[in-house]
Amino acid sequence: MAKKKKKNGKFAFFKKTGIVFSLFAVLVLAFYCAYLDRVIRKKFDGKRWDLPAVVYARPLELYTGLHLTAEQLEKELQLAGYRPESLPDAAGGYESLNQKIHLVTRDFHFPDGLQKSTNLTVTFSRDRIQSIYQTDSYEELSIVRLDPARIGSFHPREHEDRIVLSRSELPDLLIKTLLAVEDQDFFTHFGLSPRSIARAIWANLKAGETVQGGSTLTQQLVKNFFLTNERTLWRKFNEAIMTLLLELHYSKDEILTAYANEIYLGQDGGRAVHGFALASQFYFRRNVEDISPAQIALLVGMVKGPSYYNPVRHPERTLKRKKLVMDIMREQSLIDEETYKQAQTSPVIDSGKTLSGFNRFPAFLDLVRRQLVQDYHEEDLTSDGLKILSTLDPQMQWQVEKHLSQTLNALEKRSNVETLEGAVIVTNRENGEILAVSGGRNPLQNSFNRAVDAVRPVGSLIKPAVYLTALQNGYTLTSPVDDSAITVDLQDGTQWKPKNFDRIEHGRVALYQALAHSYNLATVRLGMNISLEKVMQTVKHLGIDSSFPPYPSLLLGAVSMSPLEMSHMYQTFAAGGFFIPQRVIGSVLAADNSIVKRFALSVEQRFAPEHIFLINTALQNAVNEGTGKSLAALVPSSYNVAGKTGTSNDLRDSWFAGFTNDRMALVWIGRDDNKPTGLTGASGALVVWGNMIRDFASQPLQLVEPPGIEWSWINPETLETTNRFHYKCRQLPYIAGSSPNPGSTASPSLQKKEPDKGILKTIRKWFQR
């Protein structure tokens, strides 16, 4: 009896202990489930994905007479993700045939509103657009704006990219196919489906390979969205609990939509492609609503293993997988027999030439990021899905990259110098928009952006600032300056004795001649006479923000600046004395396409138009008969280019900056190890500049003569007035009252006064009121 009581006592003890332990386990499980519930709801109810900021090129505007070839338009369409096809009828398709391009544009939200897709035909003749009309109605169109190319993104650390769609934007056939292959019981199970597991095992055994998965879509979403890929019992336990909780709180449509946006479907370099919408654009260059049944089958088939079934690397394997999915689609009556047969003969993906714009122009994107960080936090750029409408002109960018690379290759062979590098900045002369940037000869291989970060001695490129200062202080273009030896006493007790590049003293010369031929001695004497402080003030007003010590060598460009900073100075010359901050962004839109910010044109008049007219005339002369005269071999003289060469000591840096009527461009050539290149500004950078400008089809420069200018005929040798019949005569402009022959106001025959056109006309009127 005692033994029985003892045994019952033990049983009661274990029973109580078991109950306590069970209650404790249930309590712990409840708390853990509550924790997981908070994790799920916090992420699912909040911002589910970090959406990268997307950068677009400028929209291409087409109009009759535009200098553009069919080949150039096709290349830009490919950059924008358009696909070549016969008789295009869906957005994003085009056909090029016999100097005629048919295309269907895509919807795009611009700052001024949504622009709907339209079906266009563009014809070409003699490298220009001949006509534009609606393909269906043949209605002539005066101007058309194409949706811009996506050229890059700013990603979070995970480098994920996606296009988020709502449930209504997902094609029904895509959803039905996905459910047929991955989860037939999706709308009836509670997240976990033993029946699906059993059916998947049977289907896989019957097919002899894995054609269906046992996990439900909800389980897959939990694994991809909340968990890691580690294969442990603990992770499977978490997956099961979180799956049940997700089904408890959210509708089937919400879960299905999240899955369609989250699923990983491949890799584009360093960018992970997530979601069916982005995958449709990446693989087929189509919006997801426009993809065919065969393309739907391919994408759904890739869900099982995007790397294993990569259609680019493993087309045969992918084709086999696509056929299996098509079989299921036919069995489930999702497609008819005719559609099934057509899909079997369609290619895996479009085999046409593709030209991805994703981060294709890293130097330009670097400038975009630098401008954005002045107004936005890093998190805003990598998570809020901003749309950045930039100023990049792809046509111009390609020309810049081509000519910089080709010219450097040719220069290396000619001068037997290796490892030359370069940088180029091209802007719109009137509004300061940066149209193209190259940070090196191999733009996709260089992480060092020389256009911004290569700080090098600018040489004679700074000299126009000295001569502009002189013109502001009573000098004229024909004021005599002394190009003879000079010794300058420095503050440290030493002496500086500059030399001319040709080691020759040229004596008494006109001011415009000293600039044209870049005489060092005359420049130093001129600068010292008008004072370094005034020259430095002019440099700052021209747009240079850097501070320099007031050393006399500044007058010859013994200061270091980046190509971008130096381009600010020539932008001010090109804009007629107006300081216009350069910019790479036009506007920023939010993820919902509302306007976040417009980068408006900012203008400040910093120099009198008469002085700028004189210095720009002198810069034209520097190209016509000075150090830049070799440009005539590359660019027609009718372009009337204004510009200046620059060469640093020991031929380490070669520079050229100049402008036409529509564009300003600056080129630098040097070596990263700072060793001599053997190139002057004329034999190096000028060659790149000339080749680019020739292919840009630029407009000839027309300097607009401001009020208060008069002209006189001058003998360049004696600097005295003469008449137009003298064989050495030269007609030059003067500020009224400063001419050697006052009252002579005839306009020069070679520099006709043209009507003031464009935005500069408007700007000048503002400041003349």
Side-chain angles (χ1 to χ4, degrees), residues 360-656:
R360 172 65 180 77
F361 311 111
F364 185 88
L365 289 172
D366 180 38
L367 282 184
V368 171
R369 178 181 280 275
R370 295 184 192 218
Q371 182 171 340
L372 286 172
V373 295
Q374 298 175 15
D375 300 295
Y376 301 94
H377 298 295
E378 183 70 18
E379 183 180 355
D380 299 330
L381 300 182
T382 59
S383 65
D384 287 348
L386 298 175
K387 291 171 62 175
I388 316 299
L389 306 183
S390 79
T391 61
L392 178 81
D393 184 332
Q395 300 292 339
M396 204 161 295
Q397 181 70 33
W398 287 320
Q399 293 291 345
V400 165
E401 293 176 358
K402 180 183 79 170
H403 287 298
L404 179 61
S405 178
Q406 289 181 353
T407 305
L408 291 181
N409 288 335
L411 290 173
E412 287 177 344
K413 292 179 182 179
R414 188 182 71 191
S415 55
N416 199 28
V417 176
E418 296 182 354
T419 65
L420 287 178
E421 270 297 351
V424 180
I425 305 281
V426 182
T427 71
N428 183 303
R429 179 196 171 203
E430 291 192 332
N431 59 25
E433 290 182 350
I434 295 179
L435 306 175
V437 178
S438 180
R441 66 190 300 173
N442 298 308
L444 295 179
Q445 299 176 14
N446 285 308
S447 59
F448 181 55
N449 189 354
R450 293 169 186 81
V452 182
D453 297 321
V455 179
R456 306 295 287 260
V458 300
S460 298
L461 216 61
I462 205 170
K463 286 179 179 176
V466 179
Y467 288 82
L468 175 58
T469 309
L471 293 171
Q472 290 178 297
N473 284 271
Y475 285 76
T476 70
L477 291 182
T478 52
S479 292
V481 290
D482 185 11
D483 186 62
S484 61
I486 180 175
T487 299
V488 181
D489 295 325
L490 304 180
Q491 293 181 352
D492 61 1
T494 61
Q495 293 183 326
W496 178 50
K497 298 181 179 180
K499 303 289 184 182
N500 278 332
F501 182 79
D502 60 5
R503 297 296 190 269
I504 298 173
E505 298 176 27
H506 302 90
R508 180 175 176 266
V509 295
L511 182 142
Y512 81 92
Q513 293 173 324
L515 175 60
H517 298 286
S518 204
Y519 292 152
N520 290 338
L521 299 178
T523 302
V524 172
R525 287 185 176 276
L526 182 64
M528 296 302 292
N529 285 339
I530 56 181
S531 87
L532 280 173
E533 289 72 18
K534 289 183 178 179
V535 173
M536 293 176 66
Q537 190 66 26
T538 298
V539 170
K540 183 171 287 292
H541 283 168
L542 284 167
I544 304 300
D545 293 329
S546 298
S547 298
F548 311 109
Y551 297 147
S553 57
L554 163 76
L555 301 169
L556 301 184
V559 292
S560 296
M561 284 181 268
S562 70
L564 178 64
E565 187 171 17
M566 202 63 206
S567 72
H568 297 165
M569 174 172 159
Y570 280 82
Q571 184 73 49
T572 305
F573 286 131
F578 293 96
F579 175 70
I580 303 176
Q582 294 174 341
R583 56 197 173 100
V584 290
I585 302 172
S587 56
V588 178
L589 304 182
D592 63 359
N593 297 308
S594 61
I595 298 176
V596 176
K597 183 173 183 178
R598 290 181 186 267
F599 289 79
L601 180 66
S602 174
V603 180
E604 179 187 351
Q605 184 173 13
R606 293 191 173 179
F607 298 93
E610 314 89 73
H611 297 138
I612 291 295
F613 181 75
L614 296 182
I615 194 66
N616 284 345
T617 301
L619 289 174
Q620 284 183 316
N621 188 72
V623 172
N624 292 334
E625 59 183 60
T627 57
K629 64 182 178 181
S630 59
L631 188 64
L634 304 169
V635 174
S637 59
S638 60
Y639 275 32
N640 297 325
V641 172
K644 184 71 182 74
T645 58
T647 310
S648 66
N649 287 342
D650 301 321
L651 305 182
R652 298 177 189 273
D653 302 277
S654 170
W655 298 83
F656 185 80

Side-chain angles (χ1 to χ4, degrees), residues 173-190:
L173 183 59
L174 171 63
I175 296 302
K176 290 176 180 178
T177 304
L178 175 66
L179 295 179
V181 174
E182 293 293 325
D183 193 349
Q184 292 185 19
D185 299 324
F186 176 75
F187 283 105
T188 58
H189 65 61
F190 53 88

Side-chain angles (χ1 to χ4, degrees), residues 56-286:
Y56 294 88
R58 60 90 186 93
L60 177 60
E61 293 187 342
L62 305 179
Y63 53 89
T64 302
L66 175 66
H67 194 284
L68 187 75
T69 66
E71 292 76 15
Q72 289 173 326
L73 176 56
E74 182 175 15
K75 187 175 182 180
E76 187 152 345
L77 290 174
Q78 290 173 349
L79 179 73
Y82 278 68
R83 61 193 179 278
E85 57 189 17
S86 179
L87 301 176
D89 59 356
Y94 79 93
E95 180 182 32
S96 180
L97 185 66
N98 298 328
Q99 292 297 295
K100 181 183 294 185
I101 292 182
H102 304 285
L103 70 148
V104 184
T105 66
R106 296 176 296 216
D107 291 353
F108 192 84
H109 285 271
F110 289 98
D112 56 4
L114 172 64
Q115 180 175 286
K116 299 290 289 183
S117 171
T118 185
N119 199 324
L120 303 174
T121 297
V122 185
T123 65
F124 299 84
S125 177
R126 298 180 180 179
D127 297 340
R128 293 184 181 275
I129 291 180
Q130 185 180 45
S131 67
I132 309 171
Y133 58 87
Q134 292 275 6
T135 304
D136 299 330
S137 65
Y138 292 94
E139 178 186 353
E140 291 279 346
L141 301 172
S142 58
I143 187 168
V144 172
R145 180 174 57 177
L146 302 186
D147 48 292
R150 173 175 172 160
I151 60 172
S153 305
F154 300 130
H155 292 83
R157 282 176 292 183
E158 292 80 7
H159 283 266
E160 294 181 359
D161 199 3
R162 59 177 50 78
I163 298 172
V164 177
L165 298 181
S166 65
R167 174 63 184 89
S168 62
E169 294 173 311
L170 293 167
D172 285 340
L173 183 59
L174 171 63
I175 296 302
K176 290 176 180 178
T177 304
L178 175 66
L179 295 179
V181 174
E182 293 293 325
D183 193 349
Q184 292 185 19
D185 299 324
F186 176 75
F187 283 105
T188 58
H189 65 61
F190 53 88
L192 305 176
S193 178
R195 182 180 171 187
S196 295
I197 296 174
R199 183 171 52 249
I201 293 174
W202 173 248
N204 295 339
L205 288 173
K206 196 165 72 169
E209 62 177 297
T210 304
V211 296
Q212 290 187 27
S215 297
T216 66
L217 288 187
T218 313
Q219 286 177 277
Q220 294 179 44
L221 177 61
V222 167
K223 181 182 70 174
N224 296 331
F225 202 59
F226 299 103
L227 303 173
T228 65
N229 288 323
E230 61 176 345
R231 297 187 175 185
T232 63
L233 289 176
W234 180 249
R235 199 222 73 185
K236 293 296 290 184
F237 171 76
N238 283 332
E239 179 185 304
I241 299 297
M242 297 177 83
T243 297
L244 295 173
L245 291 170
L246 195 64
E247 290 272 353
L248 177 65
H249 290 300
Y250 302 97
S251 70
K252 289 290 186 178
D253 274 348
E254 286 181 288
I255 294 172
L256 189 57
T257 304
Y259 181 92
N261 288 318
E262 170 61 27
I263 186 66
Y264 171 69
L265 288 169
Q267 200 73 24
D268 179 19
R271 174 178 70 149
V273 177
H274 284 259
F276 289 112
L278 182 60
S280 298
Q281 291 190 359
F282 177 61
Y283 291 111
F284 313 124
R285 288 171 284 171
R286 287 176 177 265

